[in-house]
Amino acid sequence: MIIVVETAARKNSLHFFEFVKPIIDILDDAGMTFIVRHFTDITKKDIEDAEKFIFCGNGLQDQKILIEFKKFAWLKTTTKPVLGICAGMQLIGKVHGARTRQKTFIGVSRLQFLEPDPLMSRMSKYDVYELHNFAVAVPKGFKELAETDIPMAFKKDGSMMYGVMFHPEVMNKELIKAFAEM
């Protein structure tokens, strides 16, 4: 079972339809088993029972999950696959000691791949959709996989923990399906 984590400050806000619902639709179409949890509702049992986690993005002004990042210290030790999208990548970075910085971008960019990776190679397009106010540095123990003028994808060494700053639920939907099928 995959846990899709809603990262918006308010549960079931309009952000749900922009950032979570498209991921639900991709997983539904692929026949995947999943549940959706707001980040404030994740339990120890959820963490134990889940096979994988997808941390969705959220609105440009919504930084609550990054303020409360210490609640996710379990990301340091989990061996389960994790995909952090935008705010999810920032969360993974912060939990692992990386800094964020102001960097607003809205639009389409072309990725430059720096490291070969089985998940990233499943993308059919190298153009990606960005919608963010912050960038995150690559934490120690992670490899940067792709960049534009900022890190756009990273992976934790020896694990299946990924972060992407772009929104594959908008462009590159096959990346979400490929992660779910890993």
mmCIF file of all heavy atoms in Angstrom, residues 98-114:
data_model
loop_
_atom_site.group_PDB
_atom_site.id
_atom_site.type_symbol
_atom_site.label_atom_id
_atom_site.label_comp_id
_atom_site.label_asym_id
_atom_site.label_seq_id
_atom_site.Cartn_x
_atom_site.Cartn_y
_atom_site.Cartn_z
ATOM 1 N N ALA A 98 19.604 19.699 5.012
ATOM 2 C CA ALA A 98 19.853 20.643 3.919
ATOM 3 C C ALA A 98 19.107 21.951 4.161
ATOM 4 O O ALA A 98 18.086 21.987 4.843
ATOM 5 C CB ALA A 98 19.421 20.042 2.587
ATOM 6 N N ARG A 99 19.625 22.997 3.573
ATOM 7 C CA ARG A 99 18.998 24.313 3.689
ATOM 8 C C ARG A 99 18.119 24.599 2.477
ATOM 9 O O ARG A 99 18.397 24.148 1.374
ATOM 10 C CB ARG A 99 20.066 25.402 3.789
ATOM 11 C CG ARG A 99 20.833 25.322 5.070
ATOM 12 C CD ARG A 99 21.785 26.460 5.177
ATOM 13 N NE ARG A 99 22.395 26.390 6.499
ATOM 14 C CZ ARG A 99 22.813 27.434 7.138
ATOM 15 N NH1 ARG A 99 22.735 28.627 6.612
ATOM 16 N NH2 ARG A 99 23.348 27.289 8.335
ATOM 17 N N THR A 100 17.068 25.365 2.742
ATOM 18 C CA THR A 100 16.240 25.870 1.651
ATOM 19 C C THR A 100 16.584 27.339 1.452
ATOM 20 O O THR A 100 17.101 27.992 2.356
ATOM 21 C CB THR A 100 14.734 25.727 1.961
ATOM 22 O OG1 THR A 100 14.434 26.420 3.166
ATOM 23 C CG2 THR A 100 14.330 24.263 2.084
ATOM 24 N N ARG A 101 16.293 27.822 0.258
ATOM 25 C CA ARG A 101 16.496 29.241 -0.033
ATOM 26 C C ARG A 101 15.383 29.711 -0.963
ATOM 27 O O ARG A 101 14.771 28.909 -1.664
ATOM 28 C CB ARG A 101 17.864 29.499 -0.651
ATOM 29 C CG ARG A 101 18.066 28.894 -2.024
ATOM 30 C CD ARG A 101 19.442 29.228 -2.598
ATOM 31 N NE ARG A 101 19.714 28.506 -3.820
ATOM 32 C CZ ARG A 101 19.394 28.927 -5.035
ATOM 33 N NH1 ARG A 101 18.777 30.092 -5.205
ATOM 34 N NH2 ARG A 101 19.688 28.211 -6.104
ATOM 35 N N GLN A 102 15.132 30.998 -0.918
ATOM 36 C CA GLN A 102 14.099 31.586 -1.774
ATOM 37 C C GLN A 102 14.482 31.389 -3.241
ATOM 38 O O GLN A 102 15.589 31.702 -3.640
ATOM 39 C CB GLN A 102 13.960 33.077 -1.466
ATOM 40 C CG GLN A 102 12.860 33.771 -2.223
ATOM 41 C CD GLN A 102 11.483 33.451 -1.674
ATOM 42 O OE1 GLN A 102 11.299 33.345 -0.478
ATOM 43 N NE2 GLN A 102 10.523 33.290 -2.552
ATOM 44 N N LYS A 103 13.582 30.832 -4.007
ATOM 45 C CA LYS A 103 13.782 30.670 -5.452
ATOM 46 C C LYS A 103 12.432 30.395 -6.079
ATOM 47 O O LYS A 103 11.935 29.272 -6.066
ATOM 48 C CB LYS A 103 14.757 29.518 -5.737
ATOM 49 C CG LYS A 103 14.993 29.262 -7.210
ATOM 50 C CD LYS A 103 15.670 30.415 -7.893
ATOM 51 C CE LYS A 103 15.954 30.065 -9.347
ATOM 52 N NZ LYS A 103 16.530 31.167 -10.074
ATOM 53 N N THR A 104 11.805 31.442 -6.590
ATOM 54 C CA THR A 104 10.477 31.307 -7.176
ATOM 55 C C THR A 104 10.589 31.037 -8.665
ATOM 56 O O THR A 104 11.349 31.697 -9.367
ATOM 57 C CB THR A 104 9.654 32.586 -6.943
ATOM 58 O OG1 THR A 104 9.550 32.805 -5.536
ATOM 59 C CG2 THR A 104 8.262 32.467 -7.537
ATOM 60 N N PHE A 105 9.840 30.046 -9.119
ATOM 61 C CA PHE A 105 9.749 29.774 -10.547
ATOM 62 C C PHE A 105 8.416 29.102 -10.824
ATOM 63 O O PHE A 105 8.010 28.180 -10.108
ATOM 64 C CB PHE A 105 10.888 28.880 -11.042
ATOM 65 C CG PHE A 105 10.905 28.774 -12.545
ATOM 66 C CD1 PHE A 105 11.521 29.747 -13.305
ATOM 67 C CD2 PHE A 105 10.261 27.726 -13.180
ATOM 68 C CE1 PHE A 105 11.508 29.667 -14.700
ATOM 69 C CE2 PHE A 105 10.245 27.640 -14.562
ATOM 70 C CZ PHE A 105 10.874 28.607 -15.319
ATOM 71 N N ILE A 106 7.752 29.563 -11.867
ATOM 72 C CA ILE A 106 6.514 28.965 -12.334
ATOM 73 C C ILE A 106 6.647 28.814 -13.841
ATOM 74 O O ILE A 106 6.862 29.795 -14.548
ATOM 75 C CB ILE A 106 5.289 29.849 -12.001
ATOM 76 C CG1 ILE A 106 5.185 30.074 -10.501
ATOM 77 C CG2 ILE A 106 4.008 29.215 -12.559
ATOM 78 C CD1 ILE A 106 4.157 31.124 -10.104
ATOM 79 N N GLY A 107 6.555 27.591 -14.316
ATOM 80 C CA GLY A 107 6.624 27.369 -15.753
ATOM 81 C C GLY A 107 7.342 26.092 -16.109
ATOM 82 O O GLY A 107 7.619 25.244 -15.268
ATOM 83 N N VAL A 108 7.664 25.966 -17.398
ATOM 84 C CA VAL A 108 8.286 24.769 -17.931
ATOM 85 C C VAL A 108 9.788 24.991 -18.071
ATOM 86 O O VAL A 108 10.225 26.047 -18.530
ATOM 87 C CB VAL A 108 7.660 24.393 -19.291
ATOM 88 C CG1 VAL A 108 8.352 23.190 -19.912
ATOM 89 C CG2 VAL A 108 6.164 24.119 -19.125
ATOM 90 N N SER A 109 10.553 24.001 -17.663
ATOM 91 C CA SER A 109 12.009 24.015 -17.782
ATOM 92 C C SER A 109 12.457 22.699 -18.396
ATOM 93 O O SER A 109 11.738 21.705 -18.367
ATOM 94 C CB SER A 109 12.672 24.149 -16.404
ATOM 95 O OG SER A 109 12.356 25.361 -15.807
ATOM 96 N N ARG A 110 13.679 22.700 -18.887
ATOM 97 C CA ARG A 110 14.286 21.474 -19.413
ATOM 98 C C ARG A 110 15.325 20.983 -18.421
ATOM 99 O O ARG A 110 16.208 21.732 -18.019
ATOM 100 C CB ARG A 110 14.934 21.715 -20.757
ATOM 101 C CG ARG A 110 15.576 20.429 -21.306
ATOM 102 C CD ARG A 110 15.750 20.487 -22.793
ATOM 103 N NE ARG A 110 14.468 20.435 -23.458
ATOM 104 C CZ ARG A 110 14.069 19.427 -24.231
ATOM 105 N NH1 ARG A 110 14.846 18.391 -24.397
ATOM 106 N NH2 ARG A 110 12.916 19.455 -24.824
ATOM 107 N N LEU A 111 15.208 19.706 -18.021
ATOM 108 C CA LEU A 111 16.151 19.122 -17.078
ATOM 109 C C LEU A 111 17.465 18.770 -17.752
ATOM 110 O O LEU A 111 17.488 18.352 -18.907
ATOM 111 C CB LEU A 111 15.599 17.821 -16.488
ATOM 112 C CG LEU A 111 14.460 17.907 -15.499
ATOM 113 C CD1 LEU A 111 14.154 16.512 -14.963
ATOM 114 C CD2 LEU A 111 14.760 18.841 -14.370
ATOM 115 N N GLN A 112 18.528 18.905 -16.983
ATOM 116 C CA GLN A 112 19.816 18.354 -17.364
ATOM 117 C C GLN A 112 20.099 17.230 -16.380
ATOM 118 O O GLN A 112 20.166 17.463 -15.174
ATOM 119 C CB GLN A 112 20.914 19.417 -17.275
ATOM 120 C CG GLN A 112 22.277 18.863 -17.612
ATOM 121 C CD GLN A 112 23.364 19.917 -17.530
ATOM 122 O OE1 GLN A 112 23.106 21.101 -17.474
ATOM 123 N NE2 GLN A 112 24.593 19.450 -17.511
ATOM 124 N N PHE A 113 20.210 16.002 -16.894
ATOM 125 C CA PHE A 113 20.474 14.860 -16.028
ATOM 126 C C PHE A 113 21.958 14.768 -15.731
ATOM 127 O O PHE A 113 22.792 14.900 -16.624
ATOM 128 C CB PHE A 113 19.952 13.568 -16.648
ATOM 129 C CG PHE A 113 18.453 13.482 -16.598
ATOM 130 C CD1 PHE A 113 17.688 13.913 -17.666
ATOM 131 C CD2 PHE A 113 17.815 13.011 -15.472
ATOM 132 C CE1 PHE A 113 16.308 13.862 -17.610
ATOM 133 C CE2 PHE A 113 16.432 12.957 -15.411
ATOM 134 C CZ PHE A 113 15.682 13.382 -16.477
ATOM 135 N N LEU A 114 22.280 14.546 -14.468
ATOM 136 C CA LEU A 114 23.666 14.498 -14.014
ATOM 137 C C LEU A 114 24.116 13.084 -13.691
ATOM 138 O O LEU A 114 25.311 12.788 -13.734
ATOM 139 C CB LEU A 114 23.828 15.380 -12.764
ATOM 140 C CG LEU A 114 23.361 16.822 -12.931
ATOM 141 C CD1 LEU A 114 23.378 17.537 -11.598
ATOM 142 C CD2 LEU A 114 24.215 17.548 -13.950
#
